[in-house]
Amino acid sequence: MRQAASDTAPAPVRRPKDRKARIALAGAELFCERGYHGVSVDEIAAAVGISGPAVYRHFPNKYAILVHATREVVGALLAATGQPTASRADGLLDELLRALAEVAVSRRRVAGLYQWEGRYLTSEHRQEFAASMATLVGRVAAPLRELRPELTAEQADLLVNAALSAFGSVTTYRAAATGADTEHLLTRVARTLLRTDAAAVPLRRRPAPEDTPATGPVRPVSRRELLLIEAMRLFHRHGYHAVAVEDIGRAAGMQASSVYRYFPGKADLLAAAYYRATDRLTGATTAAIAEARDPADALHRVVRAYVDFAFGQSDLVAVYLAENNNLPDRDRHQLRGAQRLHVEEWVGLVRAVRPDLPAADARVLVHAALNVVTDVGRLGRFDRTEGYDTWTARLALAVLHA
């Protein structure tokens, strides 16, 4: 007897209730790994195990995935700090820092989205992100100011942002950095930063020079140099993919066809800037070590050299840190090797000063210090006045001695 069709038909496949969250998570991981513009909707779908059209049942486009993923990252931080149980300020602060460290480490593959809001989100979503971050900063700053009543609101906020930057540094590790040990170390770093003397923090901020040419009133004689400077300014302001060769030529006062006399394409401009940044940073680090009296002095000097580099060439540094996914493969691998060597130079100095510190812990501290310099520098518009650069260097050194 033939079996009834209803007995042989496959059971309908039910869509997982958390599929939207899975899509957003896969998108966030791919965005952080390869850059927003380097990822397609089909690739996000493949990572989840579904078809491209299935993604559109949950999101109208790739940008909507980015917005949702960014909200998820900030939402996880707010959820972790939303219902503390401690009543005393010191206990509350410790509880908040431990919660933030746990979220940072557990979501390290997607936490890098916090640094992207200025490049890929619209003004509306940047404001939303900023409001959420302000809420998070306020939660940590409140018990901090209770414990340190001498701090102004702005000083407390800057210290909290430095601590958040240390947590965010886990996204820069190439090697695995998970588990309780990393959480404990980052919590210790955050406590150290929140105890740092803030007397030198300036209380005034200059507006961000979003549309001011980086070259100032005096422009370089070399057209190649001018193209590099204007390219870095535009890449920093708008992101690599939003800038065309025509835009760079126009900013430099020349036709697009003239740009190709100096660089075969936009990617070559980007690579040239990376090699320049690497060479300058290597030279500054080497000179700082050569002039040092001992390892402690050398560590102090290389930190100061990095701060001077970051504050003196903020556009170049920002692009150097943000756009490596857009480099040609050969250049990207070569430059990442140079970046690792720079980190290991710092690790060697930290361990020379602190011989009992394991290499893995030293590496975590170095990445945190480097991240603090760039994030805190960015908050202060890389303004050297009133000692802001000196204070930023002090924060980085505090991290390395945490």
Side-chain angles (χ1 to χ4, degrees):
M1 180 181 295
R2 178 179 295 177
Q3 194 172 14
S6 59
D7 294 336
T8 60
V13 177
R14 293 187 176 181
R15 188 182 307 163
K17 293 182 179 180
D18 63 344
R19 178 166 286 177
K20 184 172 185 176
R22 291 185 186 182
I23 293 170
L25 177 61
E29 291 179 350
L30 288 171
F31 294 154
C32 288
E33 179 185 347
R34 289 159 46 191
Y36 175 70
H37 288 284
V39 177
S40 69
V41 170
D42 285 341
E43 287 170 322
I44 296 172
V48 182
I50 59 178
S51 67
V55 172
Y56 294 107
R57 299 192 187 108
H58 303 277
F59 297 99
N61 49 44
K62 186 172 71 168
Y63 178 76
I65 299 175
L66 174 64
V67 171
H68 187 88
T70 306
R71 287 171 175 164
E72 287 284 300
V73 170
V74 181
L77 294 169
L78 291 174
T81 57
Q83 295 181 323
T85 59
S87 56
R88 293 169 52 91
D90 52 354
L92 175 58
L93 194 59
D94 278 346
E95 186 177 339
L96 292 172
L97 295 181
R98 288 195 301 270
L100 290 169
E102 182 180 357
V103 173
V105 172
S106 65
R107 293 177 176 246
R108 64 178 293 261
R109 295 184 63 186
V110 300
L113 292 177
Y114 87 95
Q115 293 179 318
W116 288 18
E117 81 283 357
R119 290 188 298 151
Y120 299 127
L121 296 181
T122 64
S123 176
E124 174 190 356
H125 291 130
R126 285 201 303 271
Q127 291 175 12
E128 176 189 326
F129 178 89
S132 297
M133 289 302 296
T135 298
L136 179 64
V137 170
R139 287 179 182 176
V140 183
L144 175 62
R145 292 193 70 193
E146 187 175 341
L147 293 169
R148 299 187 61 185
E150 79 279 8
L151 295 176
T152 66
E154 183 178 20
Q155 289 169 339
D157 285 355
L158 279 170
L159 290 176
V160 172
N161 274 290
L164 293 176
S165 177
F167 290 133
S169 68
V170 296
T171 66
T172 63
Y173 306 166
R174 292 294 172 188
T178 57
D181 290 343
T182 302
E183 291 176 21
H184 293 158
L185 181 56
L186 289 174
T187 302
R188 191 173 79 207
V189 168
R191 289 195 192 101
T192 300
L193 287 167
L194 296 182
R195 289 196 297 264
T196 303
D197 177 22
V201 178
L203 300 181
R204 292 176 300 191
R205 287 288 175 272
R206 294 179 179 178
E210 291 297 330
D211 299 313
T212 303
T215 54
V218 180
R219 293 160 75 85
V221 175
S222 165
R223 286 195 167 194
R224 187 179 191 279
E225 182 74 14
L226 181 58
L227 285 168
L228 277 171
I229 290 174
E230 293 298 345
M232 292 310 99
R233 181 179 68 85
L234 292 172
F235 291 161
H236 179 200
R237 299 291 183 266
H238 308 295
Y240 175 81
H241 284 275
V243 177
V245 170
E246 290 78 6
D247 300 323
I248 299 169
R250 188 181 307 112
M254 63 182 77
Q255 297 293 325
S257 58
S258 299
V259 176
Y260 294 110
R261 297 177 187 173
Y262 302 93
F263 299 96
K266 189 172 69 168
D268 300 282
L269 259 167
L270 182 64
Y274 267 74
Y275 284 114
R276 164 167 295 187
T278 299
D279 290 344
R280 290 183 177 179
L281 187 55
T282 300
T285 302
T286 301
I289 294 173
E291 296 168 359
R293 299 183 304 273
D294 52 45
D297 185 39
L299 187 60
H300 184 277
R301 286 175 182 268
V302 298
V303 169
R304 185 69 227 197
Y306 185 72
V307 170
D308 288 343
F309 176 70
F311 275 64
Q313 303 182 65
S314 57
D315 282 341
L316 180 58
V317 170
V319 172
Y320 182 83
L321 295 172
E323 301 289 1
N324 64 83
N325 287 313
N326 295 308
L327 288 166
D329 289 342
R330 176 183 173 184
D331 296 309
R332 183 169 61 251
H333 294 314
Q334 184 173 342
L335 287 161
R336 280 181 176 172
Q339 290 171 344
R340 284 193 294 271
L341 289 175
H342 181 242
V343 168
E344 290 308 310
E345 193 75 63
W346 282 47
V347 169
L349 289 174
V350 171
R351 297 195 70 206
V353 174
R354 304 177 60 184
D356 295 334
L357 187 70
D361 288 359
R363 207 163 284 114
V364 170
L365 296 182
V366 168
H367 281 287
L370 292 169
N371 217 48
V372 164
V373 169
T374 52
D375 281 351
V376 172
R378 182 177 58 175
L379 284 173
R381 311 301 188 197
F382 292 100
D383 188 353
R384 291 179 179 274
T385 62
E386 303 180 49
Y388 192 80
D389 53 341
T390 300
W391 181 75
T392 302
R394 186 183 305 166
L395 287 177
L397 283 167
V399 170
L400 297 176
H401 288 92

